Amino acid sequence: MDAKNVTVGKPKVGGAIFKAPLGTELPGDAISNLSDAFVQLGYASNSGLVNSNSPESTDIKAWGGDTVLTTQTDKKDTFQFQLIEALNIDALKTVYGEDNVSGTLETGITIKANSKEHKNYIWVFDMILKGNILKRIVLPCASVSSVGDITYADETQIGYDTTITAVPDTEGNTHYEYMQKASGSGRDKA
C-alpha cells in the first residue's frame, strides 16, 4: 500500500473534453498536442466525468437451482458529463447534432430539436492527476446516446447531462487510457 498512489482527476487547463471527426489521427499518449481537428467543448460541471464500463452477465442454472455457468451478455462503455457552456456553439452541436445548430451569437443561433441520429466522433478527455501526472482517455468511436433533462432556473446553470457510448474499434477496444508525468509543475504548465 502506498498513499502516494491515491489521486483525483482535475480538468486540464485549456480544456478537458474534446471531439473530432472520425478519421482524425488518434493521440497515442497523454502528452502530445491534439490535432487542430479537435474542438474543445468548454466547461463541464463539478460532477466531472463518470465512466461506466462494467460487464453484465447471466447465470445459467441447472435443474435444482445450482448456478453452473455465468456468461457475459453485454459490456457497454459509457461516459457521462454535464456541459455547462450553454452559449458555446460546439457544445450545442454536441447536444443537438451538428446539422441541427447553425449561426453565431452575433447573427443569431438556430437550434432544431428532432430525432436525427447523432454522428460518431473521436472523443478525448484530458485531466491532471496528483503529482502533475497527465491522464488522457481516448475513445476512437463514440456518439451521444442520451441527453438528460435541461433545467432553466434562477439559481442553477443551464447544463446538458450528456452520455456518450463508445463502440469497439478494429482491435475490439472501446477506449484507451494513457498516463504520464508532465515536464512542468502545476496545472498551468500541463
Side-chain angles (χ1 to χ4, degrees):
M1 293 186 297
D2 188 346
K4 291 183 288 193
N5 290 327
V6 178
T7 190
V8 296
K10 295 187 178 279
K12 187 175 176 185
V13 172
I17 303 174
F18 302 85
K19 72 174 187 178
L22 294 179
T24 303
E25 184 176 350
L26 291 174
D29 59 41
I31 61 172
S32 298
N33 290 330
L34 294 176
S35 155
D36 290 340
F38 282 91
V39 295
Q40 196 259 109
L41 300 180
Y43 279 111
S45 74
N46 66 357
S47 58
L49 176 68
V50 178
N51 177 216
S52 298
N53 187 18
S54 180
E56 294 179 18
S57 58
T58 298
D59 292 337
I60 307 297
K61 295 190 181 279
W63 191 11
D66 291 338
T67 299
V68 293
L69 178 66
T70 300
T71 62
Q72 183 174 309
T73 57
D74 191 19
K75 188 165 186 304
K76 269 189 172 177
D77 192 3
T78 63
F79 290 80
Q80 184 177 6
F81 48 88
Q82 184 184 60
L83 298 173
I84 59 172
E85 286 192 23
L87 303 178
N88 178 326
I89 194 84
D90 292 315
L92 294 170
K93 286 181 177 184
T94 298
V95 171
Y96 291 100
E98 292 286 329
D99 300 334
N100 292 325
V101 180
S102 59
T104 66
L105 286 173
E106 290 74 25
T107 62
I109 294 175
T110 300
I111 299 171
K112 297 180 273 185
N114 54 46
S115 60
K116 291 181 182 176
E117 277 194 45
H118 285 266
K119 296 177 184 175
N120 286 315
Y121 288 92
I122 297 167
W123 294 79
V124 171
F125 302 98
D126 276 343
M127 59 196 91
I128 300 178
L129 311 180
K130 184 179 85 172
N132 207 27
I133 305 295
L134 301 181
K135 179 166 183 164
R136 176 173 280 165
I137 301 173
V138 178
L139 288 64
C141 185
S143 66
V144 172
S145 51
S146 71
V147 176
D149 294 340
I150 302 164
T151 301
Y152 301 93
D154 287 343
E155 297 179 12
T156 256
Q157 81 276 354
I158 298 170
Y160 303 99
D161 287 315
T162 306
T163 300
I164 60 173
T165 301
V167 295
D169 64 9
T170 56
E171 296 180 25
N173 302 313
T174 52
H175 81 260
Y176 297 86
E177 298 187 16
Y178 304 101
M179 290 184 277
Q180 187 170 343
K181 185 153 184 71
S183 57
S185 61
R187 290 183 64 210
D188 57 344
K189 301 285 186 191

